[in-house]
Amino acid sequence: MNHVLEVLKTFAVITAELVALFIAITFLVTLLMRRTGPEKLAQWLGGSHLKGMVKGTAFGALTPFCSCSTIPVLAGILRAGVPFSTAVAFLIASPILDPFVFVAVGALFGWKMAVSFTAVAAGGTLLIAHGMHRFGFASQVKRVRVTGGQEKEYVPWRGLRAELPGAWREAVIELKPMVKPMLIGVSIGALIYGAVPTDLMAAVAGDGKWYAIPLAALIAIPLYMRAETALPIGFALMERGMNLGAVFAFVIAAAAISPPELTLLTKLFKPKLLTTFATSVFALALAGGFLVPLVA
């Protein structure tokens, strides 16, 4: 009974932390995006090849979208004439480098790990975007319109005091669809934490098991989890003895690759580009799995 209570207490705290972090970060990002405005954002994303990729990665890191929610935004910035390499950097960075992921990784795994994870993921994003640009994959983009949700009419910035209530409402609205996946992730994590023997997990996917990292990434792909769902599960797996690298490969693959996302991308990407994108992000998950523990 004491063990059960300890598990429940641990994951109740994790749930409260995740909810508070999500609301706070979404609130601040909403204010920032409102202050910037769509026209300034489109202008800002321009520039040289290298600057564009860095800006695309930064834009992705500031937008807390899941992999599927990213696709309509990707279509919009491509239609606006944003360079291909910038758009690819945004596509990869958005689900795995947003502020929530950074803070949540820091809270669950330590701040040194959060910095290492961000550095590896950002570096991998830039390499993939540059490689696709270098080998001419821009020609593999379909010139079609992808719709996703209703476009909101832009209202000019009205001052900080006037914008605060709207930003708070937006944060609460964004949280509502996330409550269920968060609770699912926390529940699965609590079950793993409470029921899976440490020795068993260490024997199957512990340190020294070379196959643990690719296996974790492969298992994650069909699950279609946002990072908010994958992180508490990863925390529980690590606590039970899973290789830390395998945990991060699991988180990256779950957040950045999924069958629904790839299906949506068929409307934008030709098969060659789609295959290269999926393979590249899978390689990023493996690289993250192998490098993050070493860097940290």
Side-chain angles (χ1 to χ4, degrees), residues 173-198:
I173 290 171
E174 290 292 331
L175 174 67
K176 287 180 179 179
M178 288 311 308
V179 171
K180 184 177 179 180
M182 276 187 189
L183 292 177
I184 290 173
V186 169
S187 299
I188 295 173
L191 182 62
I192 294 171
Y193 187 86
V196 176
T198 303

Side-chain angles (χ1 to χ4, degrees), residues 57-122:
T57 302
F59 178 46
L62 286 174
T63 50
F65 301 141
C66 69
S67 56
C68 288
S69 301
T70 301
I71 308 304
V73 180
L74 173 69
I77 63 177
L78 283 171
R79 288 197 304 270
V82 170
F84 170 73
S85 56
T86 301
V88 170
F90 162 76
L91 174 64
I92 298 171
S94 182
I96 59 175
L97 280 175
D98 70 60
F100 174 84
V101 173
F102 177 80
V103 179
V105 170
L108 293 176
F109 301 96
W111 296 107
K112 189 175 181 181
M113 190 62 66
V115 172
S116 301
F117 174 80
T118 300
V120 171

Side-chain angles (χ1 to χ4, degrees), residues 204-261:
V204 173
D207 292 335
K209 303 295 189 296
W210 66 267
Y211 55 81
I213 292 173
L215 179 63
L218 285 171
I219 291 173
I221 291 174
L223 298 181
Y224 181 42
M225 294 181 179
R226 284 186 58 138
E228 289 86 343
T229 308
L231 282 169
I233 296 175
F235 173 77
L237 290 170
M238 184 190 73
E239 290 295 304
R240 293 296 90 189
M242 177 178 267
N243 183 320
L244 182 59
V247 169
F248 280 100
F250 175 86
V251 171
I252 293 173
I257 319 173
S258 70
E261 178 197 21

Side-chain angles (χ1 to χ4, degrees), residues 94-164:
S94 182
I96 59 175
L97 280 175
D98 70 60
F100 174 84
V101 173
F102 177 80
V103 179
V105 170
L108 293 176
F109 301 96
W111 296 107
K112 189 175 181 181
M113 190 62 66
V115 172
S116 301
F117 174 80
T118 300
V120 171
T125 296
L126 293 174
L127 286 174
I128 293 171
H130 174 69
M132 288 188 174
H133 167 79
R134 176 69 177 79
F135 290 102
F137 278 99
S139 64
Q140 296 292 308
V141 177
K142 297 179 180 179
R143 303 302 177 184
V144 296
R145 180 180 179 88
V146 177
T147 59
Q150 298 179 347
E151 293 185 3
K152 298 180 180 179
E153 182 181 354
Y154 174 66
V155 178
W157 175 261
R158 299 168 299 170
L160 181 59
R161 180 175 295 181
E163 294 287 347
L164 289 176

